Amino acid sequence: MDRGLVAPGWRADLVVVDDLEHCAVSTVLTGGRIVGEELFALRGALEPVGRRSVKARRVSAADFAARGQGPSTQAIGVVPGKIITERVPATLPFAKGLRGMDLGNDFVKVAVVARHGVNDNIAVAFVHGFGMKRGAIASSVGHDSHNITVVGADEADMAVAVNRLIEIEGGFAVAREGKIVAELALPVAGLMSLLSFEEVHRALIPLRAAAKGLGVVLSEPFLQVAFLPLPVIPHLKITDMGLVDVDRFEFVRD
């Protein structure tokens, strides 16, 4: 059966696009019916699925210690507006086997916290390009494994942000000076909201503003965070198992 066939007698779920370059949608049909305000209002309510999917243990600032063999390492270099990342050499403060952040040169921490209840893995590395000077931002949207990814200039705030996501069943959170200053719950599998599109749109505005208040220079910081743990896109990514050299398909051990 050709599922792409449009013909009499076949169910028609179609989107009519006037302009492919700008994806200008003029008409939507479902079951052969044009979707308008009246048809949209008749849609039935569905029981939420995928609830309570965030099964991570609570974390503390100590969980975000960055152990290493010396001050030199590789940091994930964020490219604004792109999911590809770069390798950025970093020489960081180092003492007693631990690497510290260098806010003056825009090296902050990034960590992935396993959240599916299979293990308690937490991996910590460094990221360059956020411009963050304080606080932390966390997300349970992290392609493709969708663990919790947190970027922070303060380990205590990283813990606050992660723990808040555990409490609200996933989503986005911004922490500053030990408090949550903005959040958006995504309790359906830690990926989707129970709110309407309009409510989600409104909630994203203060969320982005709160991230900007941390010094973040990226226009879509949560979108950039979502692709940091995607270990099939070059060049460096991070999973709950550690920093990944995607070009070599192996973990970075330094």
Side-chain angles (χ1 to χ4, degrees), residues 121-156:
N121 289 348
I122 298 177
V124 182
F126 294 87
V127 64
H128 180 272
F130 274 83
M132 189 179 292
K133 300 298 184 184
R134 61 194 69 83
I137 63 176
S139 169
S140 60
V141 180
H143 305 288
D144 282 323
S145 298
H146 297 293
N147 288 306
I148 295 175
T149 305
V150 58
V151 174
D154 181 277
E155 292 88 349

Side-chain angles (χ1 to χ4, degrees), residues 19-239:
D19 185 339
L20 289 176
E21 183 176 352
H22 298 94
C23 195
V25 176
S26 63
T27 308
V28 177
L29 298 95
T30 178
R33 301 172 297 172
I34 295 177
V35 177
E37 292 293 338
E38 292 183 3
L39 185 61
F40 195 76
L42 293 175
R43 71 195 190 282
L46 298 175
E47 288 295 323
V49 297
R51 297 295 300 272
R52 293 173 290 280
S53 68
V54 180
K55 302 173 183 178
R57 63 170 176 84
R58 290 182 63 83
V59 298
S60 68
D63 287 308
F64 301 112
R67 294 173 176 80
Q69 300 175 28
S72 298
T73 187
Q74 299 180 63
I76 301 172
V78 171
V79 181
K82 296 184 179 181
I83 64 175
I84 196 169
T85 58
E86 302 292 349
R87 292 186 185 86
V88 179
T91 301
L92 302 170
F94 182 76
K96 298 181 179 179
L98 299 177
R99 294 186 181 118
M101 291 179 274
D102 182 353
L103 303 187
N105 289 307
D106 192 18
F107 290 103
V108 297
K109 286 186 176 179
V110 56
V112 174
V113 178
R115 63 106 163 171
H116 298 292
V118 177
N119 56 55
D120 291 331
N121 289 348
I122 298 177
V124 182
F126 294 87
V127 64
H128 180 272
F130 274 83
M132 189 179 292
K133 300 298 184 184
R134 61 194 69 83
I137 63 176
S139 169
S140 60
V141 180
H143 305 288
D144 282 323
S145 298
H146 297 293
N147 288 306
I148 295 175
T149 305
V150 58
V151 174
D154 181 277
E155 292 88 349
D157 283 337
M158 293 172 72
V160 169
V162 170
N163 288 333
R164 183 55 180 163
L165 292 192
I166 295 171
E167 293 170 357
I168 64 175
E169 301 184 58
F172 306 131
V174 180
R176 180 174 179 175
E177 297 177 353
K179 298 179 180 179
I180 296 296
V181 294
E183 65 180 40
L184 173 61
L186 301 175
V188 180
L191 302 174
M192 297 179 66
S193 174
L194 295 174
L195 303 176
S196 68
F197 162 79
E198 294 81 3
E199 290 172 304
V200 171
H201 181 267
R202 287 194 294 269
L204 288 173
I205 296 172
L207 196 72
R208 294 189 186 104
K212 187 176 181 180
L214 305 182
V216 174
V217 296
L218 301 170
S219 60
E220 292 289 348
F222 290 94
L223 190 60
Q224 302 265 194
V225 168
F227 287 98
L228 292 180
L230 181 56
V232 294
I233 302 295
H235 296 279
L236 285 184
K237 292 293 191 289
I238 182 172
T239 73

